Amino acid sequence: MKGKKGMVALGVLLAVFLSGAFAQAAEPIKIGAILSVTGPASFLGSPEAKTLEILVQDTNAKGGVLGHKVELIIKDSGGNPEKAFSFAKQLIDEEKVFAIIGPSTSGETMKIKGVAEGGKTILLSCAAAEAIVNPVAKWVFKTPQKDSDAVIKIFQQMKKMKISRIGVLSGNTGFGNAGKGQIEKLAPEHGITIAANEVYDAKASDLTAEVTKIKAANVQALINWSIVPAQAIVIKNARQIGLTIPIFQSHGFGNIKYVQAAGAAAEGVLFPAGRLLVADVLPKNNPQKALLVKYANDYQSKYKEEASTFGGHAYDAYTILIKAIENAKSTDKEAVRTAIENLKGFVGTGGIFNFSPTDHNGLNVDAFEMLTVKNGKFAIYK
Amino acid sequence: MEFFFQYLVAGITYGTIYAIVAIGFNIIYNATGIINFAQGEFVMLGGMTAVTLNGFLPLPLAIVLAVVVTTIVGAVIEILFIRWLYKPSVLRMVIITIGVSILIREIALHIWGENVRALPYFTGSSVSSINLGGVYISSQVLWVIGVGALAVAALTAFFNLTMLGRQMRACAANRDAARLCGIDAGNMVTLSFMISAAIGAIGGAVVCPITYVQYDSGTPLAIKGFTVAILGGLGNSTAAVGAGMILGILESFSIWVLPTAYKEAISIAILLGILFVKPSGIFGSAEAARLKEF
């Protein structure tokens, strides 16, 4: 008899305890990520996925955001826009995610822009093209700096160096094409004449003839806009044929591995990039310094490889989202979306973000620093 | 005029690289009558392995070992995928070798990741070059040309002067007849895969300071090499060198006068043109081509 009473009491106690526990553990916030972890754009997607994993662990270890744990669902698109499209539908319709981070490439992002809009789901893209946020779409944001700003940064530098006649080389990829378009569009207003403008195969193994054409055009500087390995080959071939003019590369050059691949030829190359690459040598009063050093160290100690600016784009996407949830004090999608739009002075790896209803990127040309290669390392160009 | 020679040098560089790959195609074709579409992967493997080994071995030793490793891979591929086939059709061989090339690429991606790698320049550095009256030649280009020339000379001697070389050619001409003469045709095919893997690997190691190497860098080279092999006339290594030079120089001069975007179209246009007009290749005889399966 006594024993039975005890059992009941225990059961009641247990029920009270459990119901209390349930009331406290709020629903997790589901965040979807569509990243090209494998495939040709894996140099973007792989550090992005690794970065998100660190960040989610971090948030959950601190007890989550507004009491909600974060649940991360990573989908590997392999850089394929069709896959990205079906993942986006799946994440929104079936998983009912709160927000999507990614995709890694511009082509994929453009493909799913409409899906995010239709599904009223926040999309924080990690891709570069300006077209993602211009024209502005209500639910779509992006964290990397715009390619147009990279071009403007280069032209500003050229003005300082009194360069007005240039040659342009670009790879025949989406990235190369977009950059070439921006260079052509922005050159006239910066007083730059493009005397030679050539597109080459991104898989080319030697570009001696192409740089010879640049040399023959008698220009003051060369801009090359391509991805690996061509951007390492082009500077090597240029130096070999005795082309001594300044060489500018796109912000895609921001990975120390390409510098190592190019060896001595990389010395003195100029390119605009976010400040992550030079976190160690930034002046102490730089607002980004502490954050950049911490991110770079966390990433390196966990994955035993150097952090790249690309992982930084995912870092910014995630931290902006969490900050917006905190600011909105709510997990209502609409409220959080508005909170992102009103986020000002947010310090990220890519720069200081100032969003507004008309600017869903929040960065301007100051997010870029003009970098160069000195003794095989990245340095701030002075 | 100074630029004329600069374009010419660039063309010769391209041509030599293409010719080295084309020679690899020719060796297997000579012994078996088949086209090995995994030839570009041998070039990639040679470069990749040499770079990895150079991490802890001196350069010459790393290259030699890389060639040995790739040669073994060549033998293994032949034994696993080719040897047990009884009188395979050309189409079947094409599909199998394309499959092998995809397999090697995926394994390479697994081992080395997608990173771009390179060997250091054998002499000089990535910026140094020899100045001949305004025309600049990288010392590595001379290495590529020298090694290419040596490889052609050695192969020509091997196929024409040695018993083993003659036996391999006999197998290609008529496998049944060769067998009746007491030649072990199976081993000859394995040997041809080994030699072409070795040539590919040597080429890969010599060109990789210039071109870099990545898990998928074999395929574009294989397409060019195949074009050159067909252009020269399948099976003839000396012709491959001539054809390589023609294609390389044409490409280089096309850049001089046309927008560079057309460069890739040129090799394909040439290949199609040759296949329509003279399927036996520029230097091949129509008579001999009729005896070939391809």
Side-chain angles (χ1 to χ4, degrees):
Chain A
M1 200 65 182
K2 203 178 177 188
K4 205 172 181 183
K5 248 186 189 166
M7 283 293 277
V8 171
L10 196 70
V12 169
L13 213 69
L14 208 68
V16 169
F17 177 76
L18 278 178
S19 65
F22 277 132
Q24 265 178 8
E27 285 240 328
I29 297 179
K30 270 193 194 176
I31 297 177
I34 303 172
L35 304 169
S36 50
V37 183
T38 58
S42 61
F43 70 103
L44 303 171
S46 164
E48 285 162 0
K50 288 173 178 168
T51 302
L52 288 180
E53 269 158 16
I54 300 183
L55 289 170
V56 170
Q57 261 176 23
D58 224 38
T59 309
N60 289 339
K62 281 180 197 151
V65 52
L66 302 182
H68 299 267
K69 295 267 183 191
V70 173
E71 186 186 332
L72 178 69
I73 306 166
I74 295 180
K75 300 281 184 190
D76 178 8
S77 66
N80 180 341
E82 307 303 326
K83 272 194 189 168
F85 184 82
S86 62
F87 283 141
K89 287 206 87 77
Q90 192 188 341
L91 286 172
I92 293 170
D93 296 340
E94 290 167 30
E95 302 279 358
K96 311 242 181 283
V97 295
F98 183 77
I100 295 177
I101 292 176
S104 310
T105 68
S106 299
E108 293 171 87
T109 307
M110 294 310 285
K111 185 93 189 169
I112 72 165
K113 202 173 162 180
V115 182
E117 283 293 287
K120 298 194 188 318
T121 302
I122 298 166
L123 180 73
L124 289 145
S125 171
C126 298
E130 195 187 340
I132 296 165
V133 291
N134 184 17
V136 166
K138 190 178 169 198
W139 294 88
V140 181
F141 299 84
K142 83 179 200 87
T143 55
Q145 306 90 344
K146 292 193 283 278
D147 47 4
S148 54
D149 281 341
V151 173
I152 291 171
K153 186 82 185 174
I154 289 176
F155 286 162
Q156 287 174 349
Q157 184 62 38
M158 285 182 167
K159 195 169 186 184
K160 276 187 222 161
M161 295 163 81
K162 304 208 181 340
I163 290 167
S164 61
R165 188 180 153 86
I166 63 164
V168 178
L169 287 177
S170 51
N172 61 350
T173 57
F175 181 72
N177 264 330
K180 176 177 178 269
Q182 294 291 351
I183 293 170
E184 285 164 355
K185 193 176 105 191
L186 295 163
E189 59 192 86
H190 288 85
I192 302 272
T193 314
I194 302 172
N197 192 354
E198 296 290 339
V199 177
Y200 56 80
D201 184 57
K203 281 267 161 210
S205 50
D206 186 281
L207 295 163
T208 306
E210 282 84 348
V211 289
T212 302
K213 198 161 187 180
I214 296 295
K215 195 181 179 193
N218 205 7
V219 293
Q220 293 168 287
L222 164 66
I223 305 182
N224 175 64
W225 214 275
S226 66
I227 48 170
V228 284
Q231 60 180 352
I233 296 175
V234 90
I235 46 180
K236 214 175 54 175
N237 290 152
R239 295 311 184 209
Q240 276 165 0
I241 64 155
L243 194 64
T244 51
I245 56 174
I247 297 177
F248 290 83
Q249 299 253 19
S250 73
H251 46 311
F253 194 63
N255 185 327
I256 198 74
K257 283 173 194 153
Y258 312 146
V259 173
Q260 286 156 355
E267 288 295 308
V269 164
L270 294 164
F271 69 103
R275 295 181 174 83
L276 178 67
L277 302 172
V278 287
D280 289 338
V281 293
L282 279 177
K284 277 210 171 58
N285 58 5
N286 186 294
Q288 284 178 274
K289 177 156 181 148
L291 171 100
L292 291 173
V293 170
K294 182 180 183 310
Y295 168 59
N297 288 344
D298 285 357
Y299 188 94
Q300 274 154 35
S301 62
K302 175 141 185 178
Y303 296 112
K304 309 287 173 248
E305 61 179 36
E306 293 210 38
S308 69
T309 46
F310 313 121
H313 301 325
Y315 182 101
D316 292 344
Y318 181 85
T319 49
I320 285 168
L321 182 66
I322 297 298
K323 182 77 187 165
I325 294 172
E326 284 168 0
N327 284 358
K329 295 191 181 59
S330 141
T331 53
D332 174 58
K333 284 183 185 177
E334 184 82 47
V336 172
R337 192 207 72 85
T338 313
I340 297 178
E341 227 167 42
N342 293 324
L343 204 56
K344 301 269 185 242
F346 181 81
V347 180
T349 67
I352 317 263
F353 289 85
N354 288 300
F355 290 98
S356 76
T358 53
D359 183 0
H360 278 197
N361 181 203
L363 293 175
N364 60 21
V365 66
D366 295 330
F368 282 114
E369 189 82 50
M370 188 54 77
L371 302 188
T372 185
V373 178
K374 217 175 189 177
N375 303 324
K377 288 198 172 68
F378 292 128
I380 297 171
Y381 184 77
K382 284 177 192 120
Chain B
M1 205 57 199
E2 153 193 353
F3 291 116
F4 175 85
F5 285 107
Q6 192 70 65
Y7 283 111
L8 190 65
V9 168
I12 293 171
T13 313
Y14 301 155
T16 315
I17 295 172
Y18 301 160
I20 290 175
V21 186
I23 291 167
F25 277 110
N26 282 337
I27 294 165
I28 292 182
Y29 182 82
N30 266 343
T32 62
I34 60 174
I35 302 288
N36 169 32
F37 282 98
Q39 187 60 35
E41 272 56 47
F42 290 150
V43 179
M44 178 271 294
L45 277 179
M48 277 291 196
T49 320
V51 173
T52 306
L53 293 172
N54 191 38
F56 47 88
L57 289 175
L59 186 64
L61 200 60
I63 292 174
V64 171
L65 263 180
V67 172
V68 172
V69 169
T70 313
T71 308
I72 294 170
V73 171
V76 168
I77 285 169
E78 199 279 336
I79 290 164
L80 281 183
F81 299 102
I82 315 282
R83 182 173 274 253
W84 54 275
L85 297 171
Y86 179 71
K87 290 208 172 160
S89 68
V90 171
L91 182 65
R92 196 167 169 199
M93 293 311 306
V94 168
I95 294 169
I96 288 176
T97 55
I98 288 178
V100 168
S101 94
I102 295 171
L103 186 71
I104 297 178
R105 219 176 310 149
E106 289 303 314
I107 294 172
L109 176 63
H110 190 73
I111 298 175
W112 287 291
E114 83 289 356
N115 289 337
V116 176
R117 286 150 216 261
L119 281 177
Y121 277 62
F122 294 4
T123 49
S125 75
S126 61
V127 286
S128 67
S129 53
I130 301 152
N131 185 350
L132 298 172
V135 181
Y136 295 84
I137 304 173
S138 162
S139 61
Q140 193 64 28
V141 168
L142 299 179
W143 274 102
V144 171
I145 294 172
V147 169
L150 217 69
V152 173
L155 282 173
T156 313
F158 173 73
F159 280 115
N160 291 314
L161 303 177
T162 68
M163 194 44 130
L164 204 56
R166 288 199 188 119
Q167 289 181 352
M168 280 176 74
R169 281 167 59 211
C171 282
N174 190 326
R175 196 185 284 209
D176 293 331
R179 221 177 255 145
L180 286 173
C181 294
I183 298 169
D184 187 336
N187 283 348
M188 288 301 137
V189 176
T190 313
L191 188 63
S192 75
F193 266 81
M194 291 169 74
I195 296 177
S196 85
I199 292 282
I202 294 171
V206 181
V207 303
C208 103
I210 299 178
T211 62
Y212 296 112
V213 57
Q214 206 177 357
Y215 76 97
D216 64 349
S217 58
T219 316
L221 283 176
I223 293 170
K224 285 292 167 59
F226 180 60
T227 309
V228 165
I230 297 272
L231 194 62
L234 268 174
N236 184 342
S237 291
T238 326
V241 175
M245 291 302 152
I246 291 174
L247 184 67
I249 291 169
L250 269 177
E251 278 191 355
S252 173
F253 281 107
S254 81
I255 289 172
W256 195 7
V257 286
L258 292 170
T260 54
Y262 294 112
K263 179 178 149 190
E264 296 309 308
I266 284 182
S267 60
I268 297 299
I270 290 175
L271 178 63
L272 290 176
I274 289 290
L275 287 177
F276 277 124
V277 180
K278 200 163 182 280
S280 54
I282 301 177
F283 304 105
S285 78
E287 198 96 337
R290 223 174 294 140
L291 297 170
K292 292 174 181 169
E293 281 182 59
F294 208 79

